[in-house]
Amino acid sequence: MVHLIKLAVGVRDVAHLAALQAARREADPPLRHRTRNSPKRAQELCAGGSIYWVIGGVVLARQRVLDIIEDHWDDGARCAGLVLDPALVRVQARAVKAFQGWRYLEPADAPADLAAATGTSGAEIPEEMRRALAALALI
């Protein structure tokens, strides 16, 4: 199994990502993230892997990758569609330097789910407070 890590460009916080994805899922199901290149390690990714979302320079959430399909951009050009589980799982915040595209993330290097690490989902902590606590290495 392997994961992906990806910048959520233009996304303010996890709630904003959830709202954007809900609208996209309703308008054009199934929920998927389109990417120019299909992952070469697709089988490993679909065997329990997730996409970890970097929001504002910090990994904050993940989603299971259910499938990888051939898809098309709005202009008709071919691309890969990463079919995602709609559930966003919050993870322990971890700062990440900016990069382009996506990168593979080995399971040993992936941030732990917040619920497993703290016993809470983290949804009750305001986003700015979560970032401040993460910067102090308190969560």
Side-chain angles (χ1 to χ4, degrees):
M1 176 184 53
V2 71
H3 304 296
L4 295 179
I5 187 166
K6 170 86 174 89
L7 301 181
V9 179
V11 174
R12 294 184 303 270
D13 53 34
V14 176
H16 185 216
L17 178 62
L20 291 170
Q21 288 186 348
R24 192 177 312 143
R25 184 176 67 240
E26 187 173 316
D28 188 18
L31 175 61
R32 61 200 182 281
H33 174 74
R34 291 183 178 116
T35 182
R36 181 181 325 206
N37 299 313
S38 184
K40 292 187 184 345
R41 298 172 70 180
Q43 280 188 310
E44 291 176 82
L45 183 58
C46 292
S50 294
I51 186 167
Y52 283 75
W53 294 108
V54 179
I55 302 170
V58 180
V59 179
L60 292 177
R62 70 172 180 86
Q63 285 176 289
R64 290 274 318 265
V65 177
L66 304 175
D67 196 8
I68 300 173
I69 60 173
E70 185 176 310
D71 208 345
H72 295 85
W73 298 105
D74 293 338
D75 66 2
R78 294 166 96 170
C79 65
L82 307 178
V83 179
L84 303 175
D85 183 330
L88 281 163
V89 178
R90 291 181 181 252
V91 298
Q92 284 187 306
R94 180 185 300 165
V96 176
K97 292 181 182 179
F99 57 91
Q100 290 187 350
W102 47 262
R103 301 284 183 264
Y104 289 111
L105 180 64
E106 295 300 328
D109 299 328
D113 291 354
L114 196 58
T118 65
T120 69
S121 70
E124 61 280 351
I125 302 172
E127 195 65 41
E128 290 206 22
M129 182 183 290
R130 176 193 321 283
R131 287 176 188 268
L133 291 171
L136 295 170
L138 296 174
I139 61 170

